[in-house]
């Protein structure tokens, strides 16, 4: 099993939910986040202010989706997420992947992929 941490533009959330509904039938966790990538949230050299402090980093609103999927579904999820989220402009987001050792459905005690 792998956990995919998928950081996307907020306006792509519905598309990403549709992808996960289609490719993976388990659950997901979602949170709102602020972040920046290599452009530090703005064009090079721009000075921004956060709470009155000057900073060269500007954090932009993002959505973070955490989803644990079976190993066999990982590439399918990545491909489909890229299909709906790639705009060819900077800031489309990122997917991080972590190994997940086990999962337990608390209600039934099922383990592993059965618990997803
Ligand atoms: N190395 C990182 N660690 C943690 N979060 C990151 C990292 N890189 C990007 N993110 C998160 O992903 C969001 C989108 O990043 P973004 O797509 O701008 O990445 P990028 O590397 O700058 O790629 P691009 O050049 O296509 O913009 C960021 O706002 C941040 O929340
Ligand atoms: Mg960027």
């Amino acid at each position: 099993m792998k956990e995919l941490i998928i950081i996307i533009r907020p306006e792509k959330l519905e598309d990403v939910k549709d992808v996960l509904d289609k490719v993976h039938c388990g659950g997901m966790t979602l949170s709102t986040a602020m972040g920046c990538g290599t452009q530090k949230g703005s064009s090079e050299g721009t000075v921004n202010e956060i709470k009155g402090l000057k900073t060269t980093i500007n954090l932009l609103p993002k959505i973070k989706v955490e989803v644990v999927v079976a190993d066999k579904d990982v590439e399918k999820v990545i491909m489909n997420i890229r299909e709906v989220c790639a705009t060819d402009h900077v800031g489309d987001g990122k997917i991080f992947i972590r190994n997940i050792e086990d999962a337990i459905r608390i209600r039934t005690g099922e383990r592993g992929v059965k618990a997803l």
Side-chain angles (χ1 to χ4, degrees):
M1 289 173 291
K2 298 273 190 291
E3 180 184 22
L4 306 189
I5 301 151
I6 306 166
I7 301 169
I8 54 165
R9 299 180 194 274
E11 62 268 28
K12 293 294 184 181
L13 177 58
E14 289 308 313
D15 292 334
V16 167
K17 277 159 63 185
D18 287 345
V19 163
L20 294 176
D21 189 32
K22 195 173 67 183
V23 177
H24 145 86
C25 52
M28 71 182 81
T29 302
L30 186 145
S31 43
T32 55
M34 300 292 286
C36 69
T38 48
Q39 293 79 20
K40 299 181 179 179
S42 62
S43 50
E44 207 68 44
T46 308
V47 176
N48 305 288
E49 277 195 28
I50 297 175
K51 292 188 176 161
L53 297 171
K54 285 211 184 323
T55 167
T56 49
I57 293 183
N58 184 31
L59 301 176
L60 298 170
K62 299 286 169 182
I63 298 277
K64 182 167 79 169
V65 180
E66 289 156 294
V67 61
V68 178
V69 303
D71 289 339
K72 68 173 178 50
D73 292 330
V74 170
E75 291 305 319
K76 242 185 309 181
V77 173
I78 294 169
M79 198 179 70
N80 283 273
I81 296 285
R82 286 205 61 234
E83 219 162 80
V84 297
C85 290
T87 67
D88 208 23
H89 293 102
V90 297
D92 279 344
K94 228 163 247 191
I95 304 175
F96 297 103
I97 303 179
R98 271 206 279 246
N99 280 315
I100 294 292
E101 212 157 290
D102 205 355
I104 298 119
R105 175 171 286 113
I106 291 176
R107 177 174 57 87
T108 59
E110 290 162 288
R111 305 288 289 248
V113 286
K114 286 202 205 88
L116 303 181

